[in-house]
Amino acid sequence: MSKKTSKISGFYKLPVKKRIEIVTNFSDLSEEETKLFSSCLDIQTADRMIENVLGTFELPLGIAVNFIINDKEYLIPMVTEESSVVAAASNAAKIADVKGGFKTECSEPLMIGQLQLLKVDDVADATQKILKHKKQLLDLANAQDKVLVNFGGGAKDLEVRILDSPIGKMIVIHIIVDVRDAMGANAVNTMCEALAPMLEELTGGKIRLKILSNLADKRIVKAKAVFDKRTMGGEKVVDAFLESYILAVIDPYRAATHNKGIMNGIDSLIIATGNDFRAIEAGAHAYAARNGQYTSLTSYKKDKNGNLVGEIELPVAIGIVGGAGNINPKAKLCKKILGIKTAKELSEIVAALGLAQNFAAVFALSTVGIQKGHMSLHAKNIAVMAGASGKQIDIVAEKLVKEGKIKLDRAKEILEEIK
Ligand code: NAD
């Protein structure tokens, strides 16, 4: 049997059926799983997931190829409405492969739960009392989730912060919970709510908020890759890249767009695996502003040989158990395509994909510009809007791109000409 590889050149040129065949072989999908690609979420399942359901809403599911992360080959499922994102990620991964692909590291899966304690007369005394009862508080938290504790997770630590506010001093208690393979929001929220009465009794204060923090800065993932200067087009291109990148470091206006590009990739995978993309977005952007100024989540420099070294660091609160990821059959399918065994492994793929996406965007911006890549799919959409169908779509789109004028009125004219 031939070696399974994620390096598939010309994947984008293949018909959908052939692409499915390749992914089926790569990830050992069953016939039933393969059928899921063309199925919708059934209405009963959808009705159990959210309220007031009328139907389901589909988005394209594509596959990014060429990814080698920690020497393992991955095909990465991406769910997005934006053209060029999947192609850009695949292309960046191909360039990263020249120097060995992506290398990652990851902290323990520690989430933070917050309890806001108000109406305390003596905050120093209350802090002492809380810290003195740390063990009892952690035991009470762990009694809420025996399953998590059995998997080696659970509440591990407790920290106390005193904050000034317009309504006076308040104490904010953080419980630090190892959530293992879960995203952890439900697990942590349950623990927070369970601790509230004991904290009120200990301090005589009043607990108001009791909820997880999405600034998951104890659950950090890093990914790194070296991008070969020759493959990029020479050292001048590397220099142009670095000049472009630096604006995202110093200017929040650019950093917002730079990080949005990172999230193009990350969100696509978060959605594909049934995870909470708002949680990831909130954590990433809050982390990007952790030093007081909103800045880039990636960093780049040249190595001694003139190659570009890229790194990304961000919190990734995702799970492979719990949440919607185990209810939606397509999310389960996407996890099978990835071949992941732990949430840690998934979070490392997330970081590598974010770095790849960012590299691709800055590379395009500092050389040919972003529009060139966007144009061919955009032209197809314009052709459809003009009324083209079947083979007409490609004919109209190609002519639009060739003429360099992708406009609806021109698409309508071309369609009339070929009819
Ligand atoms: P969950 O409660 O569905 O599943 C987690 C539970 O699964 C654990 O508590 C544990 O009991 C069990 N489990 C089984 N095997 C495990 C393993 N190997 N590792 C860890 N746990 C294991 O889900 P969750 O992850 O606690 O919560 C995620 C959901 O919460 C998401 O759907 C998210 O959208 C939602 N949510 C998010 C927020 C927020 O981000 N602020 C707030 C509320 C809810």
Side-chain angles (χ1 to χ4, degrees):
M1 210 173 82
S2 63
K3 182 180 166 286
K4 286 181 184 177
T5 177
S6 67
K7 291 190 189 187
I8 311 166
S9 71
F11 190 71
Y12 67 100
K13 291 186 202 151
L14 299 173
V16 173
K17 208 171 150 209
K18 183 71 190 160
R19 289 187 205 135
I20 291 178
E21 202 181 298
I22 290 173
V23 175
T24 300
N25 288 335
F26 183 91
S27 304
D28 294 324
L29 304 182
S30 67
E31 204 178 315
E32 214 166 294
E33 285 167 331
T34 304
K35 282 188 191 147
L36 283 172
F37 286 117
S38 50
S39 78
C40 291
L41 183 64
D42 70 276
I43 197 71
Q44 289 81 9
T45 307
D47 199 27
R48 280 196 302 273
M49 287 171 75
I50 64 164
E51 308 76 33
N52 301 354
V53 165
L54 303 182
T56 58
F57 187 102
E58 298 297 309
L59 284 171
L61 161 61
I63 290 285
V65 295
N66 301 326
F67 273 85
I68 299 176
I69 305 167
N70 301 327
D71 302 318
K72 183 173 166 186
E73 308 248 1
Y74 291 97
L75 291 178
I76 302 184
M78 297 176 76
V79 171
T80 181
E81 86 299 342
E82 188 171 346
S83 64
S84 302
V85 168
V86 179
S90 304
N91 193 38
K94 196 173 175 183
I95 299 175
D97 286 351
V98 176
K99 294 284 179 193
F102 299 85
K103 300 282 182 267
T104 66
E105 53 185 277
C106 187
S107 70
E108 291 301 313
L110 298 175
M111 297 296 287
I112 298 167
Q114 291 194 300
L115 291 111
Q116 179 195 28
L117 181 61
L118 305 169
K119 306 194 191 317
V120 175
D121 296 331
D122 183 342
V123 288
D125 180 59
T127 302
Q128 286 299 318
K129 284 180 179 151
I130 295 166
L131 291 174
K132 211 173 139 206
H133 291 83
K134 190 192 243 191
K135 186 173 179 316
Q136 290 92 318
L137 286 160
L138 293 179
D139 286 347
L140 179 59
N142 285 329
Q144 312 307 311
D145 201 333
K146 293 269 162 49
V147 178
L148 184 58
V149 173
N150 283 343
F151 277 104
K156 301 288 179 188
D157 203 359
L158 185 147
E159 294 167 357
V160 182
R161 299 162 67 216
I162 299 169
L163 300 182
D164 279 317
S165 87
I167 57 164
K169 274 196 194 310
M170 64 180 75
I171 295 179
V172 178
I173 299 118
H174 282 190
I175 52 164
I176 317 298
V177 185
D178 183 326
V179 296
R180 293 287 91 197
D181 287 314
M183 182 268 181
N186 287 323
V188 171
N189 292 343
T190 307
M191 289 182 183
C192 285
E193 291 191 2
L195 293 190
M198 187 171 169
L199 283 163
E200 286 181 349
E201 202 176 305
L202 278 174
T203 62
K206 171 79 194 150
I207 292 284
R208 184 64 63 204
L209 292 181
K210 26 192 188 299
I211 179 101
L212 159 118
S213 168
N214 285 111
L215 177 50
D217 63 358
K218 292 185 186 293
R219 198 175 185 180
I220 297 298
V221 191
K222 295 179 190 177
K224 186 176 176 176
V226 178
F227 300 96
D228 177 53
K229 70 173 178 207
R230 249 162 277 140
T231 315
M232 284 178 69
E235 205 155 338
K236 281 204 174 114
V237 180
V238 175
D239 291 337
F241 185 108
L242 289 169
E243 285 164 4
S244 306
Y245 146 71
I246 210 73
L247 186 58
V249 177
I250 59 163
D251 179 15
Y253 284 96
R254 172 60 202 147
T257 322
H258 181 93
N259 290 341
K260 186 273 179 184
I262 293 173
M263 303 318 284
N264 276 343
I266 289 181
D267 282 349
S268 305
L269 176 55
I270 298 299
I271 297 169
T273 54
N275 274 287
D276 183 336
F277 57 92
R278 288 86 53 211
I280 300 290
E281 284 276 349
H285 296 293
Y287 195 67
R290 67 193 178 282
N291 294 325
Q293 180 180 317
Y294 185 83
T295 187
S296 168
L297 286 165
T298 51
S299 61
Y300 293 92
K301 62 181 182 200
K302 255 197 284 190
D303 69 10
K304 61 180 187 324
N305 301 315
N307 299 310
L308 183 73
V309 182
E311 286 187 56
I312 188 168
E313 177 181 326
L314 79 168
V316 182
I318 43 161
I320 58 164
V321 297
N326 275 359
I327 299 169
N328 186 335
K330 257 188 206 155
K332 285 202 237 174
L333 175 67
C334 288
K335 285 185 271 185
K336 174 136 187 211
I337 293 171
L338 288 163
I340 45 168
K341 298 278 180 289
T342 60
K344 176 181 175 292
E345 187 180 358
L346 178 56
S347 69
E348 289 174 334
I349 302 169
V350 165
L353 181 59
L355 177 59
Q357 207 72 57
N358 181 241
F359 166 80
V362 180
F363 187 34
L365 282 169
S366 55
T367 52
V368 292
I370 210 83
Q371 283 310 87
K372 190 168 176 278
H374 272 117
M375 277 309 126
S376 71
L377 272 176
H378 177 56
K380 283 188 189 178
N381 289 336
I382 295 289
V384 173
M385 280 167 69
S389 60
K391 286 189 177 143
Q392 291 170 340
I393 300 171
D394 282 337
I395 299 170
V396 175
E398 268 170 36
K399 201 138 198 257
L400 288 172
V401 172
K402 212 168 164 192
E403 292 175 1
K405 204 173 126 193
I406 301 168
K407 296 272 182 288
L408 186 60
D409 51 352
R410 181 63 192 132
K412 283 182 180 162
E413 281 170 19
I414 299 169
L415 191 60
E416 279 310 308
E417 286 163 21
I418 63 169
K419 262 182 183 170

